Amino acid sequence: MAGSGNRPPPDLPGSVLAVVSRYVRLGERVVAGLSGGLDSVVLLDCLRRAAPRLGFRLRALHVHHGLSPNADAWEAFCRALCGRWGLPLDTERVRVEPDSGGGIEAPAREARYAAFAGSGADWIALAHQRDDQAETLLFNLLRGCGVRGAAAMPVVRALDRGGASSRLLRPLLDVPRCDIEAHARAQRLEWIEDESNLDPRPSRNYLRREVLPVLRARFPGVDAALARAAGHFAEAQDLLDGIAERDRTEVADEGRILLARFARLDRGRATNLLRLVLREAGVRAPDARRFDDLTGQLRRWKPGGGLRFVIDGRCLQAWRGRLYIEPARAAAPAPIAWNGQRELAWAGGWLSFAPATGEGVGARALEGAAVEVRARAGGERLRPQAGRPSRSLKALAQAAGIPPWQRPRMPLVWVNDALAWVAGIGAAAEFACPAGEPGVRIDWLNP
């Protein structure tokens, strides 16, 4: 373990307090990622000083990757540190498998962020600092990134994993590592050293240990300059996002791109809009060549033509002139009993059941009944209006404009083995809630 020394440090707690106070509100839950390394220990030290002044609830989270023979010792160090400081600590043990290229950095990062997403916190505080920002920008540029990649890491962003509502906060992002070291020495803090940081084989380690020292010798202000450049790229990305949002208001209807209008955008704006739409859908954009091909096919689409792209586990499909982004899976879910829950997981989305008056399925029809949610089996019929004959679900789905690939997954609610409600179509006449009477409104929140 490392520590000690004596030089008057900058006011790091004051800097962190200023950043955190701009975003975190009274009573919010803040989880600090604690690896046990220098940066994360210093961040936790600053956050524990800020918490009483700002009134947020602080705890630490240590992710045990199991990749190092010292992993158990690191966990014990974090537990002892939090014990001394009177802070609650959660430990999440994750399993990390190498990616297709044999690398472990990206899978470990994904596992770590998945653990953060499951913390239930309002904010996840991470200890990335200015030297990390410079390293990230350089790494992304060498991979041929676009403007968003060149913007590197923002101070704040949403944690886009598993539907989590947490946000990431990086209070040290403008702080050079030398200031962090100075604070640690002045406060006589201890931390652990991760031996994997000494391995020059991972690309980031190579940049950190071999490339950046050479650049610093020739350009002493390189870290600040690269971090400043990342800020300029971030401003440019904000401008591009604003243009994409305005274009979306012109070419989208009910949240879906109308391909005839999309084709009227020039190629640059069409590409920019498509990047925004894919990012919001949680789809990782493909390489430049394939992305360019996708944009071109969307712009050339003609009525009656088919289009289907599978990207990052999601399927982009054109239907009736609109662009749909759907899960690539096709398997129908197994039946689920409903026992009064407000929500049921279904086909990667949710079925919600909300009390209502004069709409949905009548509450009386549900009382004491066996209610089950099923996928289509084929041959089902439903009568949507009283006094009219029943119709096949195939015909009703076509009339309702439900895309063909959604139909095998759309939920059907059965009451005592009678079809009572179908997503996108509504309640059967015999189960519809009469005006003024209590009912249950059912909605399928399809991802």
Side-chain angles (χ1 to χ4, degrees), residues 99-419:
D99 58 25
S100 58
I104 207 72
E105 285 183 297
R109 185 167 54 253
E110 285 298 315
R112 190 161 57 248
Y113 277 72
F116 294 152
S119 70
D122 299 297
W123 295 92
I124 307 296
L126 302 180
H128 297 114
Q129 29 86 351
R130 194 180 71 183
D131 295 28
D132 297 323
Q133 182 78 312
E135 173 191 311
T136 299
L137 171 56
L138 192 57
F139 179 72
N140 288 349
L141 288 174
L142 291 171
R143 296 170 65 198
C145 69
V147 176
R148 181 169 298 279
M153 297 179 289
V155 175
V156 171
R157 76 166 175 84
L159 179 55
D160 303 320
R161 278 170 177 78
S165 59
S166 303
R167 287 160 290 179
L168 297 180
L169 176 63
R170 298 181 173 96
L172 298 176
L173 200 56
D174 289 333
V175 179
R177 183 177 174 85
C178 60
D179 284 359
I180 293 172
E181 292 171 341
H183 175 86
R185 288 193 298 268
Q187 299 300 319
R188 300 186 179 278
L189 300 179
E190 292 185 336
W191 60 91
I192 60 98
E193 297 286 0
D194 183 349
E195 73 281 352
S196 69
N197 290 330
L198 302 178
D199 183 357
R201 288 172 297 179
S203 297
R204 283 182 175 273
N205 284 4
Y206 180 77
L207 288 175
R208 186 183 309 126
R209 298 184 60 80
E210 304 293 336
V211 176
L212 280 167
V214 175
L215 290 176
R216 289 179 186 125
R218 181 66 178 84
F219 305 98
V222 65
D223 294 283
L226 288 172
R228 189 165 58 251
H232 296 326
F233 285 121
E235 291 175 359
Q237 186 59 58
D238 287 343
L239 178 61
L240 289 172
D241 287 344
I243 293 171
E245 291 286 4
R246 287 196 295 273
D247 286 340
R248 179 159 53 183
T249 64
E250 299 295 325
V251 306
D253 180 56
E254 296 181 350
R256 301 199 185 276
I257 288 178
L258 302 178
L259 293 172
R261 297 181 186 175
F262 182 78
R264 292 198 288 268
L265 294 174
D266 65 53
R267 193 175 192 88
R269 294 179 77 138
T271 299
N272 185 47
L273 174 56
L274 186 57
R275 288 190 188 281
L276 176 73
V277 170
L278 292 181
R279 187 172 70 253
E280 291 183 347
V283 180
R284 187 181 291 108
D287 61 55
R289 183 190 59 77
R290 193 167 182 225
F291 193 91
D292 189 59
D293 183 35
L294 171 60
T295 305
Q297 289 200 40
L298 289 174
R299 295 177 74 234
R300 292 190 299 272
W301 180 87
K302 301 297 181 186
L307 185 145
R308 187 176 188 272
F309 264 80
V310 177
I311 300 172
D312 193 29
R314 304 296 287 276
C315 188
L316 278 67
Q317 302 188 81
W319 191 68
R320 294 189 177 181
R322 295 169 183 259
L323 179 65
Y324 289 79
I325 303 176
E326 299 284 329
R329 62 188 179 278
I336 301 176
W338 180 72
N339 299 304
Q341 304 97 312
R342 294 296 297 267
E343 289 184 337
L344 282 179
W346 183 266
W350 297 91
L351 264 180
S352 71
F353 299 81
T357 300
E359 62 176 321
V361 176
R364 290 185 183 180
L366 299 174
E367 290 177 4
V371 182
E372 191 172 57
V373 183
R374 307 174 191 167
R376 286 182 67 194
E380 299 93 348
R381 300 182 69 85
L382 180 136
R383 184 169 59 247
Q385 293 178 311
R388 302 291 297 275
S390 64
R391 300 177 64 191
S392 70
L393 283 197
K394 180 179 180 179
L396 290 170
Q398 288 175 338
I402 299 172
W405 59 87
Q406 284 187 2
R407 297 171 196 171
R409 300 186 297 112
M410 66 184 189
L412 281 58
V413 176
W414 296 77
V415 177
N416 293 332
D417 282 327
L419 185 55

